[in-house]
Amino acid sequence: MNTELMEALDILEKEKNISKETLLEAIEQSLLQACKNHFGKADNVKVTINGQTGDFKVVAEKVVVEIVEDPVTQIALSDAKRADSRYEIGDIVPVEIKSKEFGRIATQNAKNVILQKIREEERKVLFDQYFEKEHDVVTGIVQRYVGRNVSINLGKADALLTENEQVKGEVFQPTERVKVYVLEVKNTTKGPKILVSRTHPELVKRLFESEVAEVSEGIVEIKSIAREAGSRTKMAVWSNDPNVDAVGACVGMNGSRVNAVVSELHGEKIDIITWDENPALLIENALSPAKVISVMADPDEKTAKVIVPDYQLSLAIGKEGQNARLAARLTGFKIDIKSETQAREAGDFDYVEEEEYEDEEYFEEEYPENDEETLQNEETDYEELTFEEENP
């Protein structure tokens, strides 16, 4: 019984996560390669290995002939009869080959075959392990900056956070723990190449799945996400249970759940709105925190005209157009925003009953630059602005 071999295989199986059967196949291939290197051919050689004991046997099948022309594949009748008197011309005789007979070069080549197989299997195991995590969030440890890219250790492999997938303004320190979204896992000769992102909208979705039990269980669905990484995210949610408030579930008690995600995103603001199958209501919700007078949506053309109170126009547009831009991306509609005055002048509507607009109960961000009193005192003539869905 070859106990040393089996112990070595057990250690490799545990440490490298390579199955014992695969290692035994590698040994079999190495013995065939050794025979080929030693004899010049190995077409008639068979290797049998006992998976329980580790014992192996190498046999060359030779044809019985009168005159031997090829000693590798043929055996003389007299030699065959010494093994068994019943052999005749044309019979096949199994001749055992002792591995000790192999030369140094053949032995070294056999060793290289085994090592190569181990390396290939190790890379395959690593690739399979991380390929399963593709399009998911993993936690890694920052290693170092490689130019403007960041190398992040994910345990058994390193991932690359390229400059394009980094949030502008984020700076990482070595040994810092960070959550990243796995974009792609490629299989290469040097092991898996893992590309990760901190800007992808799916990062926000996966973080909410880990923080909000209702989302991970499917009770609350995240229907759409629009994100400008590092600044603001708008997320539309829907509850499949009438007794569960989708927005409230994502916000959590005193904002605990959403604040955990905001903290992981280093302060990025998150607006959570209710999804609605009615595009007009969805667009109205998407423009939150701004109040809307009316929405005229065309589902076929994917366009919508929105009218807001004069003092809410700046709030609906947002800083540098961000609020309207994210709303367009979230809903998939081209949104045309006009103030009440602009709409009257354009003849879009004749009369709208005056209403009082109360503040929302919950916001992810205050808008000091859009304070109602400030906006009323400003004599700013806003031009008609149109915001289209952008491909992130």
Side-chain angles (χ1 to χ4, degrees):
M1 182 178 289
N2 200 337
T3 55
E4 291 183 0
L5 174 61
M6 298 308 294
E7 288 175 0
L9 295 181
D10 288 335
I11 293 172
L12 283 171
E13 188 174 35
K14 292 177 181 178
E15 291 185 353
K16 304 293 186 180
N17 200 24
I18 304 173
S19 67
K20 191 181 296 183
E21 290 74 16
T22 300
L23 294 170
L24 289 173
E25 287 178 9
I27 294 173
E28 180 180 334
Q29 292 299 318
S30 70
L31 290 171
L32 289 173
Q33 185 63 41
C35 288
K36 187 173 182 179
N37 292 332
H38 184 72
F39 299 111
K41 62 176 72 173
D43 298 336
N44 62 326
V45 177
K46 291 186 178 180
V47 178
T48 56
I49 300 179
N50 189 317
Q52 301 298 322
T53 63
D55 293 333
F56 61 88
K57 191 173 185 180
V58 183
V59 174
E61 295 181 340
K62 299 185 178 184
V63 180
V64 180
V65 293
E66 283 284 356
I67 301 174
V68 176
E69 296 179 355
D70 183 358
V72 176
T73 59
Q74 297 175 343
I75 185 173
L77 178 60
S78 57
D79 294 335
K81 285 189 173 292
R82 274 198 293 268
D84 192 325
S85 59
R86 292 174 294 180
Y87 284 125
E88 300 294 339
I89 300 295
D91 289 343
I92 303 296
V93 179
V95 179
E96 185 175 356
I97 300 173
K98 301 295 183 181
S99 57
K100 293 180 180 179
E101 298 175 1
F102 297 152
R104 181 181 59 83
I105 295 177
T107 305
Q108 184 62 40
N109 289 337
K111 176 184 175 182
N112 291 339
V113 170
I114 296 175
L115 293 176
Q116 179 65 23
K117 184 65 175 179
I118 291 173
R119 285 192 290 266
E120 288 177 359
E121 286 300 315
E122 191 174 5
R123 286 195 295 266
K124 183 177 181 298
V125 168
L126 271 179
F127 172 77
D128 292 341
Q129 179 180 341
Y130 286 100
F131 185 75
E132 293 177 357
K133 298 179 181 179
E134 196 173 60
H135 308 311
D136 204 351
V137 170
V138 296
T139 302
I141 299 176
V142 176
Q143 297 286 88
R144 63 191 181 279
Y145 274 87
V146 183
R148 294 186 178 182
N149 303 327
V150 182
S151 175
I152 299 176
N153 182 263
L154 301 182
K156 294 183 179 180
D158 288 344
L160 190 65
L161 179 63
T162 62
E163 183 182 10
N164 293 336
E165 298 298 335
Q166 296 175 36
V167 176
K168 187 177 180 180
E170 273 192 346
V171 179
F172 301 103
Q173 300 298 326
T175 71
E176 180 181 351
R177 298 180 71 85
V178 61
K179 291 184 183 294
V180 291
Y181 178 76
V182 181
L183 282 176
E184 185 180 17
V185 181
K186 297 179 180 178
N187 196 7
T188 69
T189 55
K190 295 183 179 180
K193 182 180 180 181
I194 307 170
L195 301 177
V196 296
S197 173
R198 286 279 295 174
T199 63
H200 202 284
E202 284 290 311
L203 173 63
V204 179
K205 182 178 180 180
R206 297 298 184 187
L207 290 175
F208 270 100
E209 287 178 354
S210 63
E211 289 291 337
V212 183
E214 291 84 350
V215 175
S216 60
E217 293 171 3
I219 299 173
V220 173
E221 290 185 47
I222 299 176
K223 291 286 192 177
S224 180
I225 291 181
R227 185 185 183 203
E228 291 190 358
S231 178
R232 177 174 292 278
T233 291
K234 278 185 180 288
M235 184 173 73
V237 295
W238 173 259
S239 176
N240 294 313
D241 187 339
N243 297 319
V244 177
D245 176 19
V247 174
C250 292
V251 172
M253 185 72 69
N254 297 324
S256 59
R257 290 175 169 178
V258 70
N259 287 338
V261 177
V262 169
S263 176
E264 180 58 43
L265 297 176
H266 295 170
E268 182 175 319
K269 305 302 180 184
I270 300 176
D271 292 337
I272 305 173
I273 68 163
T274 302
W275 171 270
D276 201 297
E277 294 294 339
N278 186 327
L281 293 176
L282 176 60
I283 292 169
E284 181 180 349
N285 294 341
L287 287 171
S288 175
K291 292 293 184 180
V292 174
I293 294 176
S294 69
V295 179
M296 293 164 283
D298 185 344
D300 297 328
E301 297 293 330
K302 287 289 184 178
T303 59
K305 293 182 178 181
V306 179
I307 300 172
V308 300
D310 290 355
Y311 68 93
Q312 290 275 297
L313 181 59
S314 177
L315 191 60
I317 295 169
K319 186 177 181 181
E320 298 180 352
Q322 185 185 67
N323 193 58
R325 187 167 58 250
L326 286 174
R329 195 182 299 167
L330 184 75
T331 60
F333 277 71
K334 176 183 177 182
I335 302 177
D336 180 6
I337 302 176
K338 293 181 181 178
S339 68
E340 186 177 352
T341 301
Q342 291 170 340
R344 289 183 189 280
E345 292 174 353
D348 287 343
F349 73 120
D350 297 324
Y351 174 78
V352 174
E353 184 179 352
E354 292 185 0
E355 301 179 17
E356 291 186 2
Y357 299 93
E358 299 178 356
D359 291 338
E360 290 282 349
E361 294 181 0
Y362 173 79
F363 297 115
E364 284 302 321
E365 178 184 11
E366 297 178 358
Y367 292 79
E369 70 275 17
N370 294 325
D371 181 76
E372 180 179 331
E373 182 179 349
T374 304
L375 292 171
Q376 286 176 333
N377 293 334
E378 288 180 356
E379 296 181 357
T380 306
D381 183 18
Y382 289 98
E383 297 180 356
E384 179 182 325
L385 294 177
T386 300
F387 296 87
E388 300 185 23
E389 179 191 7
E390 298 178 0
N391 292 322

